[in-house]
């Protein structure tokens, strides 16, 4: 039987468990972008807890993006030095760490929030170049891999979706063309870095003529063919996909299984898991080998320690989504938080 605390292989990497920690926002960074002692402490607690793989909070590619004020950036002078301290700290616990990279809006001078069809070839080359430069910095900083944000509502997810890419050149139309920009930058990153490349993909997006599981399977196979080392399957936050107490009713599980059946690289199930027995049931009732968690690590970076001891743990996280809606890396319901006491008063 599989267990979430199994030692296992993830491509060429060795993991201490099947749990992948996914980051989102970093509200504790300094205004200049620098990492703070609180950030280092949190990563150390996560690494020491028994997690298998850490994916960082978002590194926002562009300074004027919607998440740039609540995210890390690679565009400050001390990035490589500070990030190297972070990766060295995590590696003490034999835990690999990936840097998450993405952006939501592409702005060009006075032109704001350009759509995929608005981009010139020069704009596409700029986006590719910016990703490649960021990847080289991440490689220098000692990250084991990088995660490309091709899912949720990030810009590249819209570029690869048939419901939002209306280009009529080699970067629009069929699946290969819509993915071409990503495949080209992946090729250069693989040629010039040692990074494991993970792509975060929507299994479906709930939009008319948008991403279906069948379309995601095609994209997953193309990504594998062009050098991607692993995938994380997720979905946009939509009302019809908010919460599933019964595993069998969660369409993301079924979609992830279909993708796993079509590729040979590791695939991570993402989203809304917070019970130890629930995760083990998924691991043993499906062909899924890895699951990711985000909000439970916000509620308590060390919760996996208790899970090892109890054997039937449940995260304190209440899925209230305040950490997401308020774009913070802190829990607003824990007894130690100021919000908790204000609410109690």
């Amino acid at each position: 039987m599989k267990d979430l605390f199994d030692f296992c292989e993830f491509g060429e990497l060795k993991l201490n468990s099947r749990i992948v920690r996914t980051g989102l926002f970093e509200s504790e960074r300094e205004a200049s972008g620098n990492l703070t002692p609180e950030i280092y402490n949190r990563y150390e607690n996560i690494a020491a807890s028994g997690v298998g793989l850490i994916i960082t909070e978002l590194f926002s590619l562009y300074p004027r993006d919607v998440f740039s004020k609540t995210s890390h950036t690679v565009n400050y002078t001390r990035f490589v030095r500070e990030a190297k301290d972070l990766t060295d700290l995590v590696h003490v616990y034999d835990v690999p760490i990936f840097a998450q990279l993405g952006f939501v809006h592409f702005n060009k001078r006075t032109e704001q929030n350009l759509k995929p069809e608005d981009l010139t070839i020069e704009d596409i080359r700029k986006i590719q170049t910016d990703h490649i430069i960021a990847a080289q910095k991440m490689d220098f900083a000692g990250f084991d891999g990088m995660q490309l944000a091709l899912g949720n509502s990030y810009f590249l997810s819209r570029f690869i979706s048939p419901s939002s890419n209306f280009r009529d050149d080699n970067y629009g139309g069929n699946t290969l063309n819509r993915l071409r920009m990503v495949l080209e930058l992946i090729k250069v990153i693989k040629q010039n870095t040692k990074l494991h490349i993970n792509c975060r993909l929507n299994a479906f997006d709930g939009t008319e003529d948008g991403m279906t599981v069948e379309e995601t399977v095609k994209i997953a196979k193309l990504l594998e063919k062009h050098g991607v080392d692993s995938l994380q399957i997720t979905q946009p936050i939509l009302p019809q996909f908010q919460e599933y107490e019964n595993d069998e009713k969660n369409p993301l599980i079924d979609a992830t299984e279909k993708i796993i059946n079509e590729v040979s690289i590791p695939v991570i199930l993402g989203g809304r898991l917070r019970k130890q027995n629930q995760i083990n049931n998924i691991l043993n009732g499906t062909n899924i080998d890895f699951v990711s968690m985000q909000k439970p690590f916000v509620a308590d970076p060390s919760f996996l320690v208790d899970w090892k001891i109890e054997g039937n743990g449940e995260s304190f996280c209440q899925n209230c989504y305040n950490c997401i809606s308020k774009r913070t890396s802190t829990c607003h319901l824990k007894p130690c938080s100021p919000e908790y006491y204000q609410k109690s008063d």
Side-chain angles (χ1 to χ4, degrees), residues 151-152 200-204 232-236 252 268 270-272:
N152 304 116
R200 189 169 182 168
L201 282 175
N202 290 331
F204 40 72
Q232 181 180 10
I233 306 305
T234 185
Q235 63 196 33
L252 193 60
I268 306 164
R272 301 173 181 84

Side-chain angles (χ1 to χ4, degrees), residues 288-305:
I288 294 168
D289 290 327
F290 306 97
V291 298
S292 68
M293 307 174 80
Q294 185 261 327
K295 297 190 297 296
F297 284 103
V298 176
D300 181 1
S302 302
F303 77 93
L304 289 178
V305 175

Side-chain angles (χ1 to χ4, degrees), residues 274-311:
R274 54 191 180 93
K275 298 178 182 179
Q276 188 171 357
N277 283 346
Q278 175 193 31
I279 294 172
N280 277 328
N281 288 339
I282 292 172
L283 292 173
N284 288 288
T286 71
N287 58 6
I288 294 168
D289 290 327
F290 306 97
V291 298
S292 68
M293 307 174 80
Q294 185 261 327
K295 297 190 297 296
F297 284 103
V298 176
D300 181 1
S302 302
F303 77 93
L304 289 178
V305 175
D306 294 331
W307 280 25
K308 283 183 181 179
I309 297 172
E310 297 169 4

Side-chain angles (χ1 to χ4, degrees), residues 104-149:
V104 178
H105 296 150
F106 184 73
N107 304 318
K108 185 172 63 174
R109 296 182 289 278
T110 60
E111 299 176 76
Q112 302 292 302
N113 195 14
L114 272 66
K115 298 177 181 178
E117 60 268 25
D118 297 330
L119 268 60
T120 65
I121 297 300
E122 289 74 20
D123 295 331
I124 290 175
R125 296 291 176 260
K126 174 174 172 50
I127 291 171
Q128 292 174 322
T129 301
D130 292 339
H131 275 86
I132 294 163
I133 292 172
Q136 290 176 318
K137 291 182 179 180
M138 292 168 178
D139 194 25
F140 294 150
F143 286 102
D144 301 281
M146 68 180 298
Q147 181 181 79
L148 294 175

